[in-house]
Amino acid sequence: MNTKNLPFIALSILFLLFSCTTKIDSDNEKTDVIEAINQLYRSFENKDIDLMSEIMAHDESMLSFGTGISDLHNSWSEWRKNHIAQFEGFDKAKINSKKMNIYLSQNCDVAWFADVNDWILVIDNENIQLSDIRITGVLEKRNNSWKIVQIHASVPQN
């Protein structure tokens, strides 16, 4: 065997191995994750539990915390019930994202995010502004669709 060809053969094998693996476009995945999070925000603004349902994992082991001391949801069904009740408590809502950070796992099948946003709620014709609400969460890619599997919201203390 001619040893002069070994580097060429090794590089050729590496090229073939890497060219046959699926390339994941992390920028596109991040864009899809942002759209999923924005869909969650729109579902809240529109008081649309069906839209919210599309983006949430329906796992009965889902764990979520809300802004209230007793806002602990141990399943999708608890989350759903709580949000239907929340929708009845306000007339309008607007969520303005101010600082969203998105992170992806190496395989681009898990994402986590941190966002700071302002909420404007209209309750009995009165505007209530909540500033610097912190939202964090984890999404998992399931059947080519991003689903929220964990979420937490908190209101900073002044």
Side-chain angles (χ1 to χ4, degrees):
M1 178 181 226
N2 187 350
T3 58
K4 292 181 184 177
N5 291 332
L6 282 179
F8 175 76
I9 293 169
L11 285 173
S12 296
I13 291 171
L14 287 173
F15 176 77
L16 286 173
L17 287 174
F18 286 109
S19 67
C20 294
T21 59
T22 303
K23 301 287 185 206
I24 299 172
D25 186 342
S26 62
D27 289 338
N28 282 343
E29 293 299 332
K30 282 185 177 183
T31 299
D32 291 345
V33 169
I34 291 168
E35 177 52 35
I37 296 163
N38 286 332
Q39 181 175 331
L40 175 70
Y41 294 165
R42 282 191 309 274
S43 71
F44 192 83
E45 292 173 336
N46 297 328
K47 300 169 40 163
D48 186 342
I49 198 67
D50 294 329
L51 184 61
M52 186 178 283
S53 177
E54 291 175 15
I55 199 61
M56 301 296 292
H58 289 215
D59 301 357
E60 290 304 310
S61 62
M62 186 179 104
L63 179 64
S64 303
F65 291 96
T67 57
I69 193 77
S70 62
D71 283 346
L72 170 62
H73 313 105
N74 289 305
S75 65
W76 159 250
S77 57
E78 284 184 20
W79 170 275
R80 183 181 186 281
K81 179 180 174 183
N82 178 274
H83 279 77
I84 289 172
Q86 280 187 12
F87 293 164
E88 294 173 2
F90 64 87
D91 302 314
K92 291 183 182 180
K94 180 66 181 161
I95 299 173
N96 297 308
S97 177
K98 298 192 308 186
K99 186 177 180 184
M100 188 180 300
N101 294 288
I102 306 293
Y103 307 93
L104 291 171
S105 66
Q106 287 184 345
N107 294 333
C108 292
D109 58 354
V110 174
W112 55 101
F113 74 95
D115 193 15
V116 177
N117 47 55
D118 294 335
W119 295 5
I120 301 171
L121 300 175
V122 178
I123 302 173
D124 295 330
N125 294 321
E126 182 180 342
N127 283 357
I128 298 170
Q129 178 145 356
L130 302 170
S131 298
D132 299 326
I133 303 296
R134 300 168 193 179
I135 309 283
T136 60
V138 178
L139 296 90
E140 185 176 42
K141 194 157 191 182
R142 297 180 176 181
N143 298 322
N144 294 319
S145 181
W146 287 100
K147 301 293 181 185
I148 295 172
V149 296
Q150 189 278 327
I151 192 161
H152 177 218
S154 64
V155 179
Q157 299 297 312
N158 293 329

